[in-house]
Amino acid sequence: MSRLLTALVCTAALAALAGCGESDQEKAREVVQDYVDARNEGDYQQVCDLYSESFKEELGVTENCPAFLEEQTSGADEGGEFSLVEVRVNEDRGVGEIDVSREGQSPSRVGVTLSRDGDSWKISGLQ
């Protein structure tokens, strides 16, 4: 009986270590995809929620981030469609590459920098 119990405990521990959760790469990619979706939908509150607190402080928008972003991007992204290209993660930092396509123009590449915030990832800068 004790061998069976030991085997069950070991199997459960191995399953937990195998990563039932998402990897850092997957988590970071999800954040960048959420950013792309929010920008395409004009959901500035969601965009702000994806920004790190230090990035919002750097922008000077800790109080009214969504209104600031809407004002800053009005006209600039008119007709632009954001699409995720790639996300790379190295330890606690990451970079996401996004293409912005406008009708009749070649896509322009935009980068976002990412940093780990506890067990999650946040956008900590734009390139």
Side-chain angles (χ1 to χ4, degrees):
M1 180 70 167
S2 67
R3 281 186 168 175
L4 177 60
L5 182 57
T6 301
L8 288 173
V9 169
C10 288
T11 301
L14 286 174
L17 289 175
C20 295
E22 293 179 299
S23 71
D24 283 332
Q25 179 72 32
E26 292 167 326
K27 289 177 184 177
R29 184 175 184 80
E30 189 173 300
V31 167
V32 179
Q33 185 61 58
D34 288 348
Y35 175 79
V36 164
D37 293 342
R39 288 301 307 262
N40 285 335
E41 295 166 7
D43 185 347
Y44 298 108
Q45 180 61 58
Q46 176 65 20
V47 171
C48 289
D49 291 345
L50 296 168
Y51 285 174
S52 69
E53 288 305 314
S54 61
F55 185 47
K56 287 188 264 189
E57 287 173 11
E58 184 180 316
L59 293 172
V61 296
T62 55
E63 294 293 317
N64 201 355
C65 181
F68 172 80
L69 291 179
E70 186 171 10
E71 179 183 320
Q72 293 299 309
T73 59
S74 65
D77 297 329
E78 202 73 31
E81 181 73 22
F82 286 59
S83 60
L84 176 61
V85 176
E86 179 180 21
V87 176
R88 294 179 307 280
V89 170
N90 186 7
E91 296 182 13
D92 290 344
R93 310 295 270 161
V95 175
E97 294 183 4
I98 299 166
D99 275 350
V100 181
S101 301
R102 290 178 183 80
E103 193 172 321
Q105 298 178 9
S106 297
S108 56
R109 182 73 42 101
V110 176
V112 296
T113 55
L114 302 158
S115 56
R116 186 191 313 269
D117 183 18
D119 192 34
S120 62
W121 290 84
K122 291 287 189 177
I123 294 172
S124 55
L126 301 173
Q127 302 172 340

